[in-house]
Each structure stands twice: as structure tokens, then as C-alpha cells.
Amino acid sequence: MRAPAGDEDGTRTGLDFRILGPLEVADASGTVLDIGSRKQRAVLMLLLLNAPHVVPLDQLIDRLWADEPPSSATGTLQAYISQLRRVLEPLRSPRSPSRVLRTREPGYLLDVTAAQIDAGRFTAAAEAAHAALAGGRPGEVERILGPALAQWRGEPLADFPEDPFARPAAARLVETRLSALSVRAEARLALGRHAEVVVEAERLLTLDPYREGLWSLLMRALYRDRRQAEALAAYQRCRTLLGEEVGLDPGPQLRRLEQAILDQDESLDGPWPPAAAVSVPAPSVVSPVPVSPDAPVCGVPAPDAPAPGPSVPGGSIPRPAPGPAGGLPRLVGREPHLRRIAERLDDAGRGRGGVLLIGGESGIGKTRLAEAAAEMAAERGLTAVWSRCVEGRGAPAFWPWIQVLQALGEGHGGLEEVLHRLTGDDPLKGPSGEPSEEPSGEPHGGGRTGADGSPPAVPQDRTRQDRAREAVDPDTARFLLYDAIAGALTRRTAGAPVLVLMEDIHWADAASLKLLTFLGGDLHRTPLLVLATMRPEPAGPDEPAEARQALTGALGELTRQRGTERMNVTAFTAEQITDYLGGGDPDLARALRDRTGGNPFFLGELLRLLSSVHPLDRVTAADVVALAVPDGVRDVITQRVSRLPEDSQTLLRVAAVIGRDVDADVLEAASGIGGARLMMLLEPAVATGLLAEVEGGWDYRFSHALVQEALYAGLSRLQRAQLHGRVGEAAESLARGGLDARLPVLAHHFGMAARVGYAAKAASYAARAAAQAAARLAYDEAVMFWEQALACLDPSAPQAPSSRCSLLVELGRARRVTGDVVGARAALDEAVTLATDLGDDDAVIEAATVFGGITLWNWRAYGVVDRRMVAVLEDQLSRLPAGQESRRAELLGTLGVELYYGERQREGQRYAAEAVALARGIGDPQLLARALNNFIIAAWTPENDEERYRAAEEILTLPGLARATEIIARMHRMPGYLRAGMLADFDAELARCLRLTAEVRMPEIETQVTYAAVGRAMLDGDWDEADRLTAAATDAYRRTSLWGPDALKTACTFFAAWGRGRQPEGLLDRLIEAGDDDSDRMLRPTAVLAALEAGDEALAHRLIDRWGVAIERDWAWQYTAWQWGLVSARIGRPDPHGLLEELTPIASQLMTMGTGCVSWGALDDVVALLLRRTGRIEEALAHAERAAGAHRRLGLRHLERRSAELAGELRGALRS
Amino acid sequence: MSSPLPPEPPSTLLLREVPAHAGTAGAGLLGPVFDEVLREVSAARCRMYVLVDLAGPLSAPPVAAALVAMGPGGGEPDAGGGAGPERTGAERTRAERTRTERTRTERTARLRALAVSTPYRGRGLARRLLGDLLTELRADGVRRVRCLAPSGNGDPSPSENGGLPALLAAAGFTREPVGAAAESPASTWENRAGGRAARTVGTQVTYQYDEPESGPPGIVWLVREL
């Protein structure tokens, strides 16, 4: 809404409005304008009588079209408004806002000054004349009133004799004129022009014979003109008239005058009486300039002048007004929030920022609170910057941050640079322009690269690009990008604190949320406070579940950070509603509370609806109860919309499909109407507050998200689809050169319209948006767009299978980066099948080798070999032409990993080793890193520990290492340190990995590093810390779809409890249940141990009978053997001798599982136990003492104590 | 003629103005009368209004159409040849459109034809279209809209056009006082015109007001002041 620009603008138009006679408007040149038909003139007159205040739209309709339905009447009114604007401002371009006849919720106003209206000028002159007379300057009166009276051209408002709205105004103007004439006569009397005044008074008395002031004037004029008898006769005439017609005597003043004349009182020569003889216009009624916001310009009270008090006057909804209340803005029911925000703002001003999350359902007043925060920030000298998230996928990645950086960036090179990296293309490759051709209906587009070398929409042969991509390493790139943004923001805010208001982060893209959590960690030492609003309600049916998941993850992480706090905004109580209304009937407040649940937006909308239905009445509780609205704010909005012209409704529905922010160009193109008509049709929506004009442009914005949602929700699915198609076409045709910025929007609209003939475009734009998102390191978005591209692909298109195959590979790649292993696997499996059917070996290899990329962990579920994938890889290897050594190395390495969990494990190790040799020969460091990593995973058996350790060392020597690769190599090296008891090295590496992980933020890596920390806490006997870290690791792990979060959590929980010496309820049952599942068979010895801990030896035997005691030579071998050793030492199963054979050679190693998630002390302990079981007590004592010594050296107190106790027992046994 | 709230999804109909040239959207809906009017009146002085469903396919024809001729006589050529060259392009540029809107200063217009596509009959769309176009004309500064009254008697198909007089009455059209027409410089052909309505074209009914028929005595003008 635009504020009136004030007098300057109004007078510059030079318009002159005349109502002292028939309504007339003249322009600056004095030409009288044609202001149209009677109804049109009536509209202008109503606005003029209230100028410069708003006349609510509902009241205009109520006064002029009471008998018509509101929707058609609103349309008619709008036509008149448009035509009036054209007449009043003929030079205004149709798309610029009117400066004279303005739209302002809840209606329209005429932005003119009193001086532009003849009645205003006249009223001012009448007052000035009266003041001159009262001030003893009768000589000035004639000069003041002469020109003013000359403006009268007849009866005021002469062309509206019958209209109720005009009558009081006209009567008042007539009255003012009579007063002015009386003042003039009084002045003339004072100047001694007695005879003249006699004539004038007689004339005026014909107009209003009941005015005693005029009789007084006449009597005094006659007296001074030495006509005493006539003066007394005049008194008698007056007395007769009043007595006969009204039954009254003349008033005391007139009676005193008669007496004075009889007495020939000397005072009759002066002014009479001391109080003026003429009726004085009350200043509040006739005022040259509005003395208060409620006083209209030309002295006619607004027909709807807002009544003070609790009533809800037509159209004017009470708004919580900002006011001084302890330095805080006034918001009903929000005082505690405001106080806290004020404290946080003060902190931010002192360099301690953070994140303030404001949660609350839609319409609860989050934005009002944010606005208040912005005001308070301004008072404190903070710069406030707004950004808003957009529902759906229509916005580019990082959109809320792009807005922030744009607002803060001006003149700050650092911010402009990072902004460019967010909005430009690939920050790593430099800008890439527009693809060379318009999207064809088929996503392949034929070409592999754009004319300028940019990536094609759906790249096909990506093996080389894949390598290049791994070289640039998405996670490192993302970290560097985030870090650059953080750095630039820190520099920007240094000494100039900033409040960022980020609205609706429940709609933010995953990349933006990640950036928020990244920044959040450091904000407590930066003068930057982020106030983010969000809705708590669960995902709607249209909301992608992934998006909500990203939000949940981000919130979880944020709230763990220092400087982050959450606040909830809740509904109004009935008392607060009373407060909101400014007092009044508690029944009304209760009825409103019942209807709206205390939601302030709903409340406001309901009051608006009520006031448009009862324009002049006070709203009562009964009205609220009687209102025929089904519950729900959407229904209220729907009813309000239904009062608009039908064409306006249609346009609003299209606008709702565009989104909360409405690009007027897109709306114009989508609806096929001109800009001027578009503005005209949207006017009533603006006037009724459903839509707001965006400052500094001609775009619109729904006043509240709920308005847009209600309109959108009302459409049928088919309507939505068709309208999305139209909007997509419009956005596409308008994008022309700048398609890049619109890719997500186009993908969104065409995606929603895929079922009604836009599938090809939906697929094509989604693919391009996905490639763009991936280039901008927004992988979650990339996944969504690849999925959309696949969903929209037309299966009957000629190239459909190969297009689908390429898309699946891209989807698999993107899912892998986000940690969704199962999803990635599914996509890649399908891609392999498709490519095999197509006979496209390149595609098969590309898909099959994605999983041979660098990973910390085997991506297969525990114990699973995918025989089909193995067959595919072998088939490709067998047919690979000579000379393709890189490809051979990739295939061999991948095959090695794939064979890990089966009987061909050793063969797989050889393949992986061969891949390493090949890669060394080729001399490509990236390829070598990949092959070495394949080897580390393929050869993860106890006998290869040394070789694997060396492979990890070798990776770390390679140049150009990606951050994730570095962490992975370090992590592979760490269990070796632990087993060898090199705890100082282990600790140093762990600390380093924890730091690096914070940068990379890949759930898979984060999980494993945290697990390593769990094991370390166990060594220290810090069981609480172990539990806490287990929970954190499990959280992170669940964000991947890798095997194991539950199994590992159970194992960690058991051993932490074991260390404490007491097992939690139900854990044994969970372990047994898991052990029954073949894919969790790793937990079987743990379950048996738990049974023994519970004292149920019979159960332990039964479990062993059921499950057997296999010890597989995989990454968990040492751990499994250790546990069975513990079991065997207690019950003699499995065979202690066999276990001793396995464990004695490695007795000096510390026990650790996998990447370290369960770690215990030296295996000497279990060897000692087994020896005791077999009766070799002396040897057992030696091992126990060695364990105690090792644990003492390493400072592992609880382990030292346990070993020492064991040694003590053994000594006792020896003695006896 | 008020229709109850439709149980079906909300309306996404919108009034659009399209260039009045042969083959334009909705021309088929109006039938031969469209070409007849265009032969008499320069296309630049005609306004073709169509009601389209924005939630329909892009290629779908309008659901209703109306043809209005501008000027006091309802479209006789200006003496000075003020009518611009006929535009044949489907889409005028915005600047052009704006300019055109500015130069439209006629105070009177004449409704020449109005039709609703068969599948959409009976939903009050004629009323909607008429209301919409009156609003449009009013916003453009037109003060009065005239049309020839459909004859009430001897109508061959009352079931099909029986609603027309009621429609016009509901929209505020009233009989023009005798002699009032003389104020406007009506051309001779107008005096030959008789009020006939409801001409069946294919499956569509076209309301038409300017079909030359019998002599002047039968003429009744309706007028709607805006």
C-alpha cells in the first residue's frame, strides 16, 4: 500500500473540485472536465466528501448499489474508478499508480487538499472571517469573504438532491454559508453600514426565519439606524413567529436585547453580546485542514467516521497500533516475545548474534512480530534485511540468502562476489551462458554440450565428466562456498550489526537451510541476528516429504548450536481479543475466539467480512454466531473473494497459481489481457486487502500466504494443472534471454501441468534445473528435479529409454551425494537394466561404476552380494576393448567392492589390487585415489590391515585431494592406530576429522566420525558421553539410507551399559529380535552376551543352537571373535581352543569394530579368560598382567581396573 | 437469473478483447452476422469480446462471444476516415494497445451480436458476458450502449431466445424514448434495420440485431445508460 504522498503531489495535479453548486472538476488550465455519468459523479462525490480519507469499498457499494450483488457492483464501481482516474490524470501511464484517486485498503481515497475543494476554501474563509470579526478587525471580513462567497454557483451538491449521502453535507454547507453571511453583516454593522445590514438581515431571515442571531442583528441594525420602534417591532415579529410556529419564547439573549433597546443601553453601540451574535461553526466540523485524521477536508463528516470504542466500524479493522510501551511496539499478547527480541537485538548490537526461530501456525502473527522486530532493530541502529522463502520448488536454490546478500551487498565487494557465486552458474567452472537452443520436447536435445561448453541438459557420456566432478569435489566446493559467504557476512557486519528477517523457512530449499545451520554455528560471535519464521504444522499433501525432512534436520542441528533459540507464537485468548479490539463486550470476544481459535489473521479476516456485511452496524456476539460461515479461515477468504467481480476472481485464481508473489507481466501474459485492464481488475482485491501492491513496481503480493493458499486450494486438480501450464508458457515467453534464473520456476509450473500436455517441457526444464542445482551445489534440489524429470518423461518418445537411462544415472549420482544409498542404488540398478537392454555399454559402465566412487563404507547391506551387478561388471570387463585402461581400473575396483561380502572375497581383493596397479600405471591421481579406496573396502579383512593402512597413507599423498576423500582416507587409517594402541595419534586424527566433517557435512561421513568418537568415549569409560554421541551418530546415520543405524545403535548401547554394569530394560529382547534377522547377524554374539549378563545361561545356549557361532572374516571379524571369546570363556561355547588360536596372535591389539564405534581394551583380557577356561591359569595371568600394564600406560582407567581384577583372581586361583 | 453457487470448481472464466477480424477467436460462434457487421463497419471500430476459460486448453474456443460497434450510430464510418488501418495481427504490442485505449473516446456503442457456445448454455454466461462488456465499455468512457430490441412476437423459437429480452432488461436496457434516436446521426441503413433475433447457425444461437428486414415502423431501440 502506498502512503499518500502529501499535499505536494495533490496540488501539483492542479485539479480543482467544486461542490458549491453542481459537481464540477477543473484541471490546471481551468478547463472543466467531463466527469461522466451520474453514478460516476456520485462515486467522485462520495470520495470528495471524505477526502483525504479512505472510503471503504463496501460502503461505496452500500450507498450506491445497495440493490445489486456485491460482485457485479464491485465491477461496476471499478469501471467508474478507472474512468475517473483517466479523466483526473489523463497523462498517467496506465501502469503507474494513480496519485489522485488512490487505492488504499479498505477502499479508495481522493488524495486532495482542502484548498483544492471549493467547499474547503470556503469553510476556511468563513473561519478566518469569524476570527477577524472576533478579533476586532471587521474591516477584513469583507475582503476575506467576498471571493469565498463568489464561489457559490447554486445549491451545494446540486446534482444530488435526493441522495441520502449528500443531504447532510449539503445542509451543513448551506448552514456554513448562512453563518458566513451573518458574519459579514455583523462586520458591516461594526463598520457603521446600518441601513445595508437591515436589508441584508431581512433577506437572510427569509432563508432562515428561526435564527435568533439574525433577529438580533436586525434589531441592532435598526436601533443604530435610529429606528427604535422598528427594532422593537422586529422583536415582536420574532416572538409571534416563534410562539405560533414552534410554541417557544425568544431566547434570553434576544430578550435581554429587547430590554436593552427599551433602556437605550449604551452597550448597544458596541459588539453585542460579548458572545458572538452569529452562530460559530465548530472547528471540528468545518476545518480548512484536517485537524485530526478523522476530520475530513471539507467539513462533511465521513459517513463512516470510525466510532471510538469497541465497535467495529465499517471496514476499519482495529489494528494493533505501535505505541510506546516501555520502548516496545505494542502487539497484543506478544509482550514476552518482544522483550526477548529486544534483548537479542541488544546482544547482536554488542557482537553476539545468533538465530531466533519464531514458530507458529499460519496467520498467528509471525510476520507482525518480525515487523516489530525490524522496527526495534531500526531504533537500535541495526540494519534490517528481509528475505522470504517461496512455497514449492519455484525459487532458485539459495533464494532466501540471495535476497539477503542482495540487500546487504551493495557496495560490499565481498558480498557481491559471493552473491555472484550463488546466482551465477557454476562457481567452480565460471559462468556458463544460456544453452544454445530453446528446450526441445525431448530432454536429450541431441547435443552433448551447449555451444559455449556448458553442460548439456542431460549429459550422456559422463565418465570423463564424472572424474572431473570428483576432482572438484562437491563437498569441498560447498564448504568453500559457505565459508566464503560466512566470511563476507562477517566482514560486512563488523561494526554494523544486522538483523536478517527470513520468513517462512519451512519453505526454504535444503541448500539454504544447510547454509543457515553452517552460519548458525558462528553467529554467537558475529553481530548478525537471524530471525526466521516458520510454521510447525506437518507437511501438507503437496509438500514434498524430503523438504520437511531437510527442515527437521536443519532445526535439530540449529537448536544444538549456541545462540539459537526458539519461540512459539500462540493464539489469542478471549482477553487478548478484547485487548485487540480495544475493549468492549466480553461476549463478543468469546464468540470471536470460538470462531477463530484465536488466530489473529483469521480474526482480522472475520472482522473484515463482518464489517462488509454489516457496514454501519456495530458487530455483536450474535452477529458472529449467526454468520453463515463454515469454520476455517479459508472459507472466510473464499467468501471475501466471492464479493469481487467475477473477472477479478478469475485473475486472482491465476495469480494464486503463480504464487504468493505475483509477477504482473506473467499474470498479464497468462491471462491474455492488457496491463491497464489487469490493474483495473485487481484493484478491488487491493482495496479489500487481499492483495498488496509491491513498492516500486507493478507487481503484486498476496497480503497473506493463507489468501493464496485458499484460492489455490479451491481450484480443482485439472484447473490447477491447466493454469500452471498457462503460467509456465507465460513465464517461458517472458524469460527470453534470462531463462537460467527461471529454470526452477519453469520446472515447477510445467511439472504441475505435466498431465495436461506439458510433460515434455516439464521433463526438459526439470533436467536443466537439476543440472543447474547440482552446479550450484544444491544436491537435494538436484535430486528433486531429476526425479521430476524422470516422472515427466514421456515413455512413448523415440529416445525415451536412453533419456531415462541418462536421467537415472544423474539421479543416482545426486542421491549418492545426499547420502540416499538405497535410492541411488535403485536408480542405478534400473539404469543398468535399461542400458543393458539398449546395448549401450558406455551407459552400463557409467551407471555401474557410480558406486565404485570414493566412499568410507561398503554401500551394500551387511552380507549382501548383488550377483546381477557382479555379472554386469564381469560382462563389461570381458568385452572391454584393449587400451581402455582407466575404464578397466574403474570396473575392476568396483567389482572388487561388489564381491566383498561373498565367497569370492579373495578374488575381489585381487581385482581391487589389479585396479590399483593399473591406476598407478596411468598416473591419474583421481583414478588412483578411487582404486586405492576400492581396495581398502574390498580387502577389509583382518589379514590385510597392514596393506589397507598403507593404501590409506598413499591416498593422503596424492595431489588435489577432495576434502571428503581426505577424511575418508584418514578414517581408514585410524582403526590401525587404535589397534596398535597409538592413542595419541588416534586422538589427533579424530580431532582433525571432526573438524573437517563440520566443513563437509555429508551425513555418511559425519556418522562414521561420530561413531569413532563413541568408541573413544568407551575407552575412557565415559558412558554418558558414549550414549550422547551414539544418539548423534544415529541421527546422522538415519539421514542416509545405508545399512545399520539400528544395529550399531543397539551394539553401542549394549556395551556402554555393559561398562556401567547394568543393562537397560528390553535391550535383551531387542538384541534377540535383531539377531533373528539375517542382515543383523553381527549382533548375535552380543545377544548371547546379553543373555549371560541377564543370568540366563539356558537362553544363551538356545540362542547359540539357533544361530550358530560363525565368525566371518570381514570388517567386523576382530569384534565378533572378541565377543564369542567372552561368551566361550563363560559357557565353553563356541570352542575356546579354536578361539584361542584366532585371538592369541593378536592379543596385544586393542579391540575395535569397523571404523571404531565399539572399542574396548587389549585382547589380552579375553585371551586370559579363554586360557583360564581351558585351565591354563599361568598363561592367563601373564596375559591379564600384560593387559593391565597396557591399559595403565594408555591411561584407560576402567580397563586397567578390570584387567587388574582379573589378574588378582588368577593369582588367587594359582595360590589355591 | 441468479444462479445458485455452483457445486463444481470455481469459475476461471475471463473476458478478453480480441482483434475483430475474420477468423478471430469467437467469430465462428457468432456465425455469419460477424462477417456482415464487419462488411458494414471498419474492424478498427469493432470490438470483439470473448469469454474464455483460462483453465481450459490453450486451443479451446471461447465459451461466449459478443461484437460491439463503437460510435453513436453503432459503427458507421467516420466522415473524416478516422478509423485506423485494420489490424490483422493476432497480438498487438502493448504500446499499441495502450495507445488504442487512450484514443477510444466514443461515448456511445452498439451491441451487434452475442452468442454462447451450446455446451455452456444455461449457466448464466450470456448475462456474465453482457455484464462484463458493459463494465469494460464503461471503464473506457462509453456512456450509453444501444441495441435493437429483439422482437417479442412471432418468434420462431422462443425456447432458444426467450431469455433474450429478459437478459437485456436485467442488464438495465430500456426502450429508448421515441425521438431520442434522432439525436444520434443514425445512418440510413439503420432505419431499415429491424429487430430480429435468434438465428440458428449450426448448433449455435446467435442473437443478432441488425438484420435488414421490414420497414421503419417495427423498430424499437433499447438503450442502457452507463
Side-chain angles (χ1 to χ4, degrees), chain A residues 328-358:
Chain A
L328 300 176
R330 180 171 148 65
L331 278 183
V332 170
R334 304 290 181 244
E335 293 80 7
H337 303 80
L338 292 171
R339 265 197 302 279
R340 186 62 196 139
I341 290 172
E343 287 165 14
R344 292 300 304 259
L345 286 169
D346 291 338
D347 286 348
R350 289 192 283 267
R352 293 196 300 276
V355 180
L356 204 49
L357 296 165
I358 310 267

Side-chain angles (χ1 to χ4, degrees), chain A residues 34 36-37 75-76 79-80 83 86 92 94-95 646-647 650 653-654 668 671 677 680 714 719 722-723 726, chain B residues 9-13 15-16 53-56 94 97-98 102 128 132 135-136 138-141 143 226:
Chain A
D34 177 359
S37 66
T76 309
Y80 287 136
Q83 183 56 24
R86 206 173 303 196
R92 181 178 62 94
R95 294 194 74 165
E646 285 175 291
D647 280 2
T650 295
R653 290 182 184 115
V654 182
E668 191 181 326
S671 55
R677 179 145 183 265
M680 180 181 98
Q719 285 177 317
Q722 294 282 12
L723 291 174
R726 256 177 221 260
Chain B
S11 159
T12 43
L13 296 175
L15 182 81
R16 267 190 195 164
D53 187 356
L54 291 183
R94 180 182 299 162
R97 206 156 55 217
T98 306
R102 288 267 181 71
R128 163 85 185 269
D132 273 0
T135 301
E136 271 301 286
R138 175 183 296 122
D140 277 352
R143 295 283 182 75
L226 295 180

Side-chain angles (χ1 to χ4, degrees), chain A residues 671-672 726, chain B residues 14-31 34-35 38 46-53 57-68 87-91 113-115 117 129 204:
Chain A
S671 55
R726 256 177 221 260
Chain B
L14 187 69
L15 182 81
R16 267 190 195 164
E17 191 191 339
V18 294
H21 58 71
T24 194
L29 208 51
L30 296 181
F34 179 80
D35 296 326
L38 278 189
C46 284
R47 292 211 203 163
M48 180 73 172
Y49 290 105
V50 293
L51 208 51
V52 293
D53 187 356
L58 282 176
S59 55
V63 302
L67 187 62
V68 174
R87 288 182 227 293
T88 50
E91 181 74 352
L114 185 151
S117 172
L129 175 59
Q204 295 146 354

Side-chain angles (χ1 to χ4, degrees), chain A residues 850-870:
Chain A
V850 166
F851 271 94
I854 291 173
T855 68
L856 179 60
W857 204 245
N858 193 313
W859 296 71
R860 289 292 176 196
Y862 186 80
V864 170
V865 174
D866 184 338
R867 304 201 183 282
R868 177 170 160 278
M869 191 63 86
V870 169

Side-chain angles (χ1 to χ4, degrees), chain A residues 993-1017:
Chain A
C993 284
L994 282 168
R995 205 168 56 244
L996 291 172
T997 303
E999 297 174 1
V1000 169
R1001 280 163 199 272
M1002 244 174 121
E1004 182 203 359
I1005 292 176
E1006 201 179 328
T1007 305
Q1008 297 297 341
V1009 175
T1010 313
Y1011 273 132
V1014 173
R1016 188 65 184 83

Side-chain angles (χ1 to χ4, degrees), chain A residues 14-92:
Chain A
L15 290 168
D16 187 32
F17 296 86
R18 300 163 191 167
I19 60 173
L20 303 176
L23 176 60
E24 214 175 77
V25 184
D27 66 13
S29 69
T31 309
V32 173
L33 302 174
D34 177 359
I35 46 174
S37 66
R38 223 195 77 79
K39 271 274 163 71
Q40 190 165 305
R41 300 165 77 84
V43 171
L44 180 61
M45 182 59 92
L46 261 170
L47 294 172
L48 201 51
L49 292 177
N50 290 279
H53 303 295
V54 178
V55 182
L57 185 145
D58 289 314
Q59 287 179 12
L60 284 166
I61 287 175
D62 190 56
R63 279 175 180 71
L64 299 176
W65 291 277
D67 47 349
E68 268 189 62
S71 68
S72 73
T74 308
T76 309
L77 168 66
Q78 198 49 53
Y80 287 136
I81 297 274
S82 292
Q83 183 56 24
L84 281 171
R85 283 181 172 153
R86 206 173 303 196
V87 171
L88 297 177
E89 288 179 279
L91 299 179
R92 181 178 62 94

Side-chain angles (χ1 to χ4, degrees), chain B residues 151-212:
Chain B
S151 69
N153 297 331
D155 194 299
S157 52
S159 63
E160 280 183 331
N161 82 328
L164 184 56
L167 173 73
L168 291 169
F173 280 86
T174 51
R175 282 178 74 115
E176 188 170 60
V178 178
E183 289 171 14
S184 64
S187 61
T188 48
W189 62 264
E190 226 176 41
N191 295 331
R192 286 185 284 104
R196 280 301 309 269
R199 207 170 85 147
T200 304
V201 182
T203 57
Q204 295 146 354
V205 172
T206 300
Y207 303 131
Q208 180 200 341
Y209 307 112
D210 66 336
E211 198 170 322

Side-chain angles (χ1 to χ4, degrees), chain B residues 4 10 62 80 84 86 90 126 152 171 221:
Chain B
E86 185 173 344
W221 282 96

